Amino acid sequence: MSPTSFTAMPATLPAGGGEVTLAWAVTGATSVSIDNGVGAVTGTSAKATIKATTIFTLSAKNDKGTTTKSAVVTVAASSKAPVILSFAAT
């Protein structure tokens, strides 16, 4: 049993986050799940919405054990930093 691939697209999102598509290929598993709110999955892809950088871990299980594979989605930092419009020293 082995997850042969696990990807997240896009791998980078703008500030505020958004939707990602998680895609995988697994052989020999009796159940497959993804953490961070996705849960048990079937087929070869699922969607998730995130607001911050997230590491998704896919777990493939059968009677011999569990194998995992991870994918990272990076969310850019907010551009809402304070702006100093003027400064005076006396």
Side-chain angles (χ1 to χ4, degrees):
M1 170 209 35
S2 173
T4 56
S5 68
F6 181 46
T7 59
M9 293 301 290
T12 304
L13 290 170
E19 186 176 83
V20 295
T21 299
L22 306 168
W24 59 89
V26 174
T27 58
T30 54
S31 67
V32 179
S33 62
I34 301 171
D35 66 355
N36 285 311
V38 178
V41 293
T42 59
T44 58
S45 68
K47 294 192 182 293
T49 301
I50 62 171
K51 294 183 178 182
T53 296
T54 303
I55 300 171
F56 290 97
T57 301
L58 176 139
S59 298
K61 299 179 184 181
N62 69 12
D63 60 348
K64 307 264 190 219
T66 301
T67 304
T68 62
K69 200 160 192 123
S70 296
V72 179
V73 180
T74 303
V75 175
S78 174
S79 61
K80 295 184 179 180
V83 176
I84 299 173
L85 299 176
S86 68
F87 176 78
T90 56

